[in-house]
Amino acid sequence: MTQPWTVGVEQEFLLVDPESRRPVPLAESVAQHAGARLDVQRELTPFQIEVATPVCETTEQLMEQVLLGRTHLAKAAHAAGCRLMASSVPPIGTAGPPPGTDDPRYRLMEYSHRKMIGGSGVCGMHVHVGVPDPDTAIRIGNALRPWLPTLLALSANSPIEQAEDTGYASWRSIVWSRWPISGPPPHLGSAAEYEARVAALEATEVLLDTGMVYWDVRPSEQHPTVEVRVTDVPLTAHEAVVIAELIRAFARTAAESADAERVDELLLKAAYWRASRDGVDGLAVDPRDGRLLPARDLVAEMARWCENALDDAGAVSLVQDHLEWLRSHGSGAARQRRAFGASPDARELVDLVLAETVDEGR
């Protein structure tokens, strides 16, 4: 049984050819080389692979497990003849059909959602925080809705696609927004209301099953957790842990706070778009009042609001130091874009991402 306020992380990665640096469909081979030591899962396409940490109680344990997952998969990818890359979209080539993942559910998704499946090989990070009950997960989701764009901006790591600058810090979020049940969930009154809404969507066949509820925060279907799915896969293990600890602290604080304030849906949509385009290095829309302000200021406000919970986890300096580090180094998107601008050969950008994938990040 997962205890409240523990944390776990699922990271999705691309698999690329070491010569062309293009995605290659070798997930099955990588999984076989990875063995049963870690929780390794196949993804929507065979160009991707996922690894999940065990349930973690401390920041130190989470850092160890996040980095272990990356290094273990990187070794398995090397043995399979490819490389592991922490970028949310492939900078060169595409991670999409042909071929698709050869299982009945994927084929049914191809039939039901059609061309939308093409190019859906994008990689995110999912953070699970243990909660006492499903209603608490809903309460946390309501509180987190205005801050989902801030988390997206902080994680942005997908600016280059097919050797072109998209102009967006998180192109993954633009691609993923095509799915009909994605983005922020509605403000919900209870876990029972959540289940009723999902059942109604299943009846319309917009969902094949509950596994296709792709909202950016939701009660987990398989674990007693709230699952936050809004972020790109971060470039480094360190960034992954910073984001996960910020989410954990926010969840704990929100569970103990007054009911969440509702925000205007149009402003929330605007905040998402701005976060996708500018990331944490630019301006952000505060969906509570529509103000434009530096995105890093919103991250800092979020961290201050849950500072006591961060302190309990021993993660205050982790988050504060990272915010300061961002001022000098920039987000994953900014670092990718600098590497791309420094050389017309996008393969050098891929090499940077490959190196940082298995780097602790400091």
Side-chain angles (χ1 to χ4, degrees):
M1 172 70 87
T2 300
Q3 296 299 313
W5 321 126
T6 53
V7 63
V9 169
E10 300 167 356
Q11 301 174 92
E12 300 167 350
F13 301 97
L14 291 165
L15 301 171
V16 298
D17 180 83
E19 298 299 326
S20 70
R21 280 73 158 186
R22 293 174 177 270
V24 288
L26 293 177
E28 186 62 37
S29 179
V30 173
Q32 290 176 2
H33 281 94
R37 179 185 176 191
L38 299 179
D39 184 4
V40 175
Q41 303 289 333
R42 284 68 163 177
E43 263 302 314
L44 187 61
T45 78
F47 303 89
Q48 301 165 275
I49 196 81
E50 177 187 291
V51 64
T53 70
V55 175
C56 298
E57 295 184 358
T58 68
T59 305
E60 292 76 14
Q61 184 185 8
L62 182 62
M63 178 64 79
E64 177 185 335
Q65 293 297 325
V66 166
L67 190 57
L68 174 63
R70 289 179 175 229
T71 55
H72 184 72
L73 271 191
K75 291 176 182 177
H78 195 278
C82 59
R83 300 293 182 267
L84 188 78
M85 183 168 70
S87 178
S88 286
V89 301
I92 306 174
T94 60
T101 298
D102 190 20
D103 70 60
R105 184 174 183 271
Y106 180 87
R107 296 305 177 192
L108 188 56
M109 288 173 69
E110 280 188 314
Y111 172 75
S112 65
H113 290 75
R114 306 180 186 188
K115 191 172 176 62
M116 187 183 294
I117 292 288
S120 290
V122 297
C123 296
M125 179 177 76
H126 304 165
V127 178
H128 289 261
V129 178
V131 293
D133 53 69
D135 282 325
T136 301
I138 295 298
R139 183 187 182 91
I140 291 167
N142 288 339
L144 196 54
R145 290 177 79 249
W147 298 97
L148 290 169
T150 299
L151 292 170
L152 171 60
L154 183 61
S155 72
N157 184 38
S158 49
I160 312 299
E161 184 189 50
Q162 298 193 47
E164 292 185 0
D165 193 328
T166 65
Y168 284 78
S170 173
W171 188 242
R172 175 204 64 88
S173 62
I174 300 298
V175 172
W176 196 248
S177 68
R178 297 180 302 183
W179 288 95
I181 310 302
S182 62
H187 193 285
L188 297 163
S190 65
E193 182 183 350
Y194 171 87
E195 292 171 2
R197 295 279 191 104
V198 171
L201 291 167
E202 282 190 276
T204 70
E205 298 184 357
V206 71
L207 300 178
L208 298 182
D209 51 45
T210 55
M212 285 186 68
V213 178
Y214 295 143
W215 282 325
D216 286 338
V217 57
R218 67 181 190 184
S220 173
E221 186 178 17
Q222 299 178 336
H223 309 287
T225 65
V226 59
E227 180 183 7
V228 181
R229 308 164 47 89
V230 70
T231 67
D232 281 10
V233 63
L235 190 50
T236 66
H238 186 95
E239 288 166 293
V241 173
V242 168
I243 293 168
E245 287 294 358
L246 184 57
I247 290 170
R248 171 162 68 158
F250 187 99
R252 185 168 189 172
T253 305
E256 299 168 353
S257 301
D259 289 343
E261 179 183 359
R262 294 175 184 253
V263 294
D264 183 271
E265 297 298 321
L266 289 177
L267 288 179
L268 184 57
K269 185 175 181 179
Y272 259 87
W273 177 80
R274 191 83 191 210
S276 298
R277 195 191 74 173
D278 292 357
V280 76
D281 305 295
L283 295 177
V285 175
D286 186 338
R288 296 169 298 178
D289 56 19
R291 288 181 304 148
L292 272 178
L293 68 168
R296 282 192 293 265
D297 289 358
L298 277 176
V299 180
E301 181 182 344
M302 187 178 186
R304 285 194 300 272
W305 187 74
C306 57
E307 187 172 5
N308 289 341
L310 282 172
D311 188 48
D312 286 346
V316 172
S317 61
L318 177 83
V319 174
Q320 291 177 344
D321 290 351
H322 183 66
L323 281 173
E324 189 60 34
W325 185 87
L326 282 174
R327 295 182 185 279
S328 301
H329 297 83
S331 64
R335 279 140 48 212
Q336 282 204 41
R337 189 168 275 135
R338 279 201 304 271
F340 184 63
S343 171
D345 187 350
R347 291 179 298 178
E348 294 187 18
L349 159 62
V350 173
D351 291 343
L352 165 78
V353 178
L354 293 176
E356 293 214 19
T357 296
V358 293
D359 184 356
E360 188 173 335
R362 288 290 185 274

